[in-house]
Amino acid sequence: NLQTQYKYLDGSAGLSFNTQVGEDPANNLVLGIAYHHFNRPRNSFFLNQGVVMQPKWVYSADLKMGVSESAFITLHNDHVRQGSYKEFISGFMYGLKIGPYTDDPDYFLQGGVFLRWQDAVIPAVQLDYRPFSVSLSYDVNVSGLSRLSHGRGGYEFSLKYTGFLDRDNSSANAVRCPRF
């Protein structure tokens, strides 16, 4: 018996620790942990009640450091565990502040590369123009899957909007997270 659609509630929770590194407020360290699917939703197109979404743990560590007044580098690291699946992604983005004022630039342009260990190399580029961010990346298989995919990877396009909170609010600025 096949079901063509289903709905379920899903629950997640996470914590983030953000701190300034050194005297420069633009230098930041972010450590995070998240737990997804804690209510273990059932999700089977075949009405199989035994198919349960396994909980997923995500551990993150990011470090952003200024290189010059108008440039910065950000190191990103994520470790994911879900059931028997494990994934580790690590990489960096080199960013430039573009505009007449480096304290409040019009744009941020970033480019870099990530490695999904034992699987893929992922070049990426991102343009931020508040409150929007647009990014493009491409997975290049370097694992045994490259024989099956004939070296073809996959594109990922992202559009992000970060304007739900009033960022000029003094209360919000007291607990404001760093921009990456």
Side-chain angles (χ1 to χ4, degrees):
N1 208 3
L2 179 64
Q3 183 176 340
T4 58
Q5 63 180 334
Y6 57 87
K7 297 177 184 163
Y8 58 88
L9 293 176
D10 196 3
S12 299
L15 293 172
S16 175
F17 171 76
N18 308 308
T19 188
Q20 180 176 316
V21 177
E23 297 297 318
D24 187 348
N27 296 341
N28 298 286
L29 172 68
V30 177
L31 301 173
I33 185 170
Y35 185 63
H36 301 275
H37 319 303
F38 60 75
N39 59 326
R40 295 176 164 239
R42 301 184 190 291
N43 60 351
S44 171
F45 283 111
F46 298 99
L47 301 174
N48 182 348
Q49 292 299 309
V51 176
V52 175
M53 190 173 298
Q54 294 294 314
K56 176 170 71 172
W57 286 97
V58 179
Y59 307 92
S60 299
D62 298 333
L63 177 66
K64 179 181 173 189
M65 300 295 287
V67 175
S68 69
E69 190 174 304
S70 61
F72 56 93
I73 190 165
T74 306
L75 305 173
H76 295 279
N77 296 283
D78 286 321
H79 179 70
V80 178
R81 294 176 156 264
Q82 185 172 23
S84 62
Y85 177 76
K86 293 182 227 174
E87 176 179 270
F88 184 69
I89 297 177
S90 184
F92 75 95
M93 295 286 273
Y94 181 82
L96 293 172
K97 301 175 183 178
I98 301 171
Y101 307 105
T102 57
D103 289 347
D104 189 25
D106 296 330
Y107 300 92
F108 292 91
L109 178 61
Q110 298 182 69
V113 65
F114 295 84
L115 177 64
R116 184 181 310 112
W117 293 94
Q118 300 177 346
D119 184 36
V121 174
I122 309 163
V125 64
Q126 178 174 316
L127 178 66
D128 298 332
Y129 181 68
R130 288 185 219 149
F132 294 99
S133 179
V134 177
S135 61
L136 180 67
S137 63
Y138 184 77
D139 286 22
V140 180
N141 292 116
V142 294
S143 68
L145 290 175
S146 62
R147 287 190 318 269
L148 299 172
S149 68
H150 304 289
R152 291 185 304 253
Y155 286 99
E156 182 174 311
F157 175 78
S158 300
L159 176 63
K160 180 171 65 171
Y161 175 75
T162 55
F164 292 111
L165 296 175
D166 179 9
R167 294 190 74 96
D168 294 326
N169 179 310
S170 62
S171 297
N173 285 336
V175 292
R176 187 172 173 177
C177 295
R179 281 191 63 151
F180 284 103

